[in-house]
Amino acid sequence: MANVITKSYKKDIFCIEGHWEKDMRKTDSIQPALKLLNLNMNVKFYYQRSATLEEIAHVSLEYSKKKYSKYIIYYYAFHGLPNSIQVGNKHINLEELAERLAGTLEGKIIHFGCCQTLGINKRRLTNFLNKTGALAISGYTKDIDFLRSTTLDILYFHTCQFWQDIRKIESEMNKLYRPMTKDLGFRIVYRTQ
């Protein structure tokens, strides 16, 4: 069995968020959820909006630097489809993302706050983990409502602060929030070898 233990209980969050609407006057954002965690649990966060693949690549390379080593959770908040996230008018699949992040995510939890992104077979998600070095990948298999999924993201990040073992985090999510995790298709996959 692979080591599925994070380096610490405290898991700060490194977040990249896409634009939810083409109309820039609409202000949907997960940033207030991150502020809530910061104010109530002292979870630090880095936050940036990204509209292009080049911006994501740049920010992702920045994330791999040592100064962000305490930001254990890497949070992508975008529109999604099975196996991909929508960046502007384009979709980037998890294989391409893994290529760009190869070997840079050792010990990290990658969370996709996106519709359907994890709605693919476990083998493909395990390949993502092996390619990037990430400890775990989490997200949704179904279409999700923005407010409900953001609420579950907050509960997930909150739960992550109390456990180092990914298996225990998964168990607690299923025990405490089962109706919501089932309804939204919440999923956690971690390396097992």
Side-chain angles (χ1 to χ4, degrees):
M1 181 62 121
N3 180 9
V4 291
I5 309 295
T6 61
K7 291 180 181 178
S8 68
Y9 285 97
K10 186 167 178 2
K11 296 166 194 71
D12 293 331
I13 301 167
F14 192 98
C15 176
I16 302 176
E17 182 175 30
H19 296 283
W20 300 106
E21 301 286 342
K22 290 183 181 183
D23 184 344
M24 298 305 284
R25 294 172 295 179
K26 295 189 177 182
T27 58
D28 292 351
S29 176
I30 50 82
Q31 192 174 19
L34 297 172
K35 288 179 180 178
L36 179 71
L37 286 166
N38 176 258
L39 290 170
N40 290 283
M41 294 194 70
N42 197 31
V43 174
K44 292 181 178 65
F45 67 92
Y46 170 87
Y47 170 87
Q48 182 170 325
R49 287 259 190 187
S50 293
T52 68
L53 188 53
E54 292 75 25
E55 287 175 344
I56 289 176
H58 172 75
V59 172
S60 296
L61 283 174
E62 184 68 19
Y63 177 62
S64 66
K65 293 181 179 176
K66 186 175 180 170
K67 64 183 173 181
Y68 297 109
S69 63
K70 293 188 180 195
Y71 291 78
I72 304 233
I73 298 170
Y74 193 172
Y75 182 20
Y76 287 95
F78 289 84
H79 286 297
L81 291 171
N83 193 44
S84 69
I85 61 173
Q86 182 178 333
V87 182
N89 293 326
K90 300 178 182 175
H91 286 87
I92 178 171
N93 66 44
L94 293 184
E95 289 82 7
E96 185 179 350
L97 194 57
E99 277 297 318
R100 290 178 178 266
L101 300 173
T104 64
L105 301 176
E106 194 65 40
K108 305 293 185 177
I109 298 169
I110 312 307
H111 180 67
F112 290 93
C114 318
C115 288
Q116 303 180 38
T117 300
L118 297 195
I120 57 176
N121 69 47
K122 186 176 179 178
R123 179 188 51 79
R124 292 173 82 180
L125 296 173
T126 302
N127 287 342
F128 179 90
L129 295 173
N130 292 334
K131 183 80 170 179
T132 63
L135 185 63
I137 185 172
S138 56
Y140 301 97
T141 63
K142 299 178 179 179
D143 276 332
I144 52 176
D145 172 76
F146 180 81
L147 205 51
R148 292 185 72 230
S149 63
T150 301
T151 301
L152 190 59
D153 289 347
I154 292 169
L155 296 170
Y156 174 51
F157 299 150
H158 174 266
T159 301
C160 285
Q161 304 306 312
F162 296 100
W163 308 101
Q164 287 181 271
D165 189 322
I166 299 298
R167 295 165 295 197
K168 186 63 176 171
I169 293 169
E170 178 182 41
S171 169
E172 288 295 301
M173 288 298 293
N174 286 326
K175 181 173 83 176
L176 297 172
Y177 312 114
R178 183 71 180 156
M180 215 171 169
T181 60
K182 187 176 180 184
D183 186 47
L184 295 173
F186 178 80
R187 180 181 195 189
I188 301 174
V189 175
Y190 42 86
R191 287 190 280 173
T192 56
Q193 52 181 350

mmCIF file of all heavy atoms in Angstrom, residues 12 30 38 58 95 102 119 136 147 170 174:
data_model
loop_
_atom_site.group_PDB
_atom_site.id
_atom_site.type_symbol
_atom_site.label_atom_id
_atom_site.label_comp_id
_atom_site.label_asym_id
_atom_site.label_seq_id
_atom_site.Cartn_x
_atom_site.Cartn_y
_atom_site.Cartn_z
ATOM 1 N N ASP A 12 -2.874 24.449 3.660
ATOM 2 C CA ASP A 12 -3.245 25.695 2.994
ATOM 3 C C ASP A 12 -3.650 25.384 1.554
ATOM 4 O O ASP A 12 -3.376 24.293 1.037
ATOM 5 C CB ASP A 12 -2.093 26.687 3.058
ATOM 6 C CG ASP A 12 -1.818 27.152 4.498
ATOM 7 O OD1 ASP A 12 -2.758 27.175 5.318
ATOM 8 O OD2 ASP A 12 -0.660 27.492 4.792
ATOM 9 N N ILE A 30 -15.412 31.617 -5.975
ATOM 10 C CA ILE A 30 -15.210 30.795 -4.780
ATOM 11 C C ILE A 30 -14.319 31.522 -3.761
ATOM 12 O O ILE A 30 -14.126 31.041 -2.654
ATOM 13 C CB ILE A 30 -14.635 29.405 -5.132
ATOM 14 C CG1 ILE A 30 -13.420 29.484 -6.047
ATOM 15 C CG2 ILE A 30 -15.675 28.548 -5.793
ATOM 16 C CD1 ILE A 30 -12.182 29.761 -5.303
ATOM 17 N N ASN A 38 -10.198 30.949 5.884
ATOM 18 C CA ASN A 38 -9.088 31.707 6.451
ATOM 19 C C ASN A 38 -9.492 32.374 7.764
ATOM 20 O O ASN A 38 -8.772 32.290 8.765
ATOM 21 C CB ASN A 38 -8.608 32.751 5.433
ATOM 22 C CG ASN A 38 -7.527 33.632 5.997
ATOM 23 O OD1 ASN A 38 -7.777 34.778 6.378
ATOM 24 N ND2 ASN A 38 -6.311 33.112 6.069
ATOM 25 N N HIS A 58 1.751 28.973 -16.197
ATOM 26 C CA HIS A 58 2.643 29.843 -15.440
ATOM 27 C C HIS A 58 2.385 29.719 -13.929
ATOM 28 O O HIS A 58 3.316 29.564 -13.141
ATOM 29 C CB HIS A 58 2.472 31.296 -15.887
ATOM 30 C CG HIS A 58 3.223 32.260 -15.027
ATOM 31 N ND1 HIS A 58 4.587 32.411 -15.087
ATOM 32 C CD2 HIS A 58 2.789 33.106 -14.054
ATOM 33 C CE1 HIS A 58 4.966 33.306 -14.190
ATOM 34 N NE2 HIS A 58 3.894 33.746 -13.562
ATOM 35 N N GLU A 95 -4.800 14.500 -19.032
ATOM 36 C CA GLU A 95 -3.518 13.995 -19.525
ATOM 37 C C GLU A 95 -2.593 15.157 -19.885
ATOM 38 O O GLU A 95 -1.403 15.148 -19.552
ATOM 39 C CB GLU A 95 -3.715 13.073 -20.736
ATOM 40 C CG GLU A 95 -4.332 11.739 -20.407
ATOM 41 C CD GLU A 95 -5.861 11.756 -20.293
ATOM 42 O OE1 GLU A 95 -6.498 12.803 -20.595
ATOM 43 O OE2 GLU A 95 -6.420 10.730 -19.880
ATOM 44 N N ALA A 102 4.108 17.368 -14.675
ATOM 45 C CA ALA A 102 4.835 16.122 -14.390
ATOM 46 C C ALA A 102 5.873 16.303 -13.281
ATOM 47 O O ALA A 102 6.735 17.174 -13.350
ATOM 48 C CB ALA A 102 5.506 15.614 -15.663
ATOM 49 N N GLY A 119 -15.414 12.239 -13.781
ATOM 50 C CA GLY A 119 -16.339 11.233 -14.295
ATOM 51 C C GLY A 119 -15.679 10.342 -15.339
ATOM 52 O O GLY A 119 -16.205 10.178 -16.441
ATOM 53 N N ALA A 136 -3.267 12.625 -3.975
ATOM 54 C CA ALA A 136 -4.682 12.323 -4.205
ATOM 55 C C ALA A 136 -5.271 13.330 -5.182
ATOM 56 O O ALA A 136 -4.757 14.438 -5.346
ATOM 57 C CB ALA A 136 -5.456 12.362 -2.889
ATOM 58 N N LEU A 147 -23.359 26.761 -5.831
ATOM 59 C CA LEU A 147 -23.423 27.010 -4.390
ATOM 60 C C LEU A 147 -23.299 25.724 -3.574
ATOM 61 O O LEU A 147 -22.577 25.673 -2.583
ATOM 62 C CB LEU A 147 -24.721 27.749 -4.052
ATOM 63 C CG LEU A 147 -24.717 28.575 -2.789
ATOM 64 C CD1 LEU A 147 -23.535 29.516 -2.715
ATOM 65 C CD2 LEU A 147 -26.005 29.360 -2.680
ATOM 66 N N GLU A 170 -11.403 10.571 3.287
ATOM 67 C CA GLU A 170 -12.457 9.986 2.452
ATOM 68 C C GLU A 170 -13.554 9.370 3.326
ATOM 69 O O GLU A 170 -14.745 9.589 3.094
ATOM 70 C CB GLU A 170 -11.859 8.926 1.535
ATOM 71 C CG GLU A 170 -12.877 8.229 0.655
ATOM 72 C CD GLU A 170 -12.243 7.144 -0.203
ATOM 73 O OE1 GLU A 170 -11.374 6.396 0.305
ATOM 74 O OE2 GLU A 170 -12.632 7.043 -1.368
ATOM 75 N N ASN A 174 -17.553 10.642 3.631
ATOM 76 C CA ASN A 174 -18.681 9.740 3.389
ATOM 77 C C ASN A 174 -19.560 9.581 4.624
ATOM 78 O O ASN A 174 -20.773 9.466 4.515
ATOM 79 C CB ASN A 174 -18.177 8.383 2.899
ATOM 80 C CG ASN A 174 -17.703 8.457 1.471
ATOM 81 O OD1 ASN A 174 -18.244 9.189 0.663
ATOM 82 N ND2 ASN A 174 -16.669 7.704 1.158
#
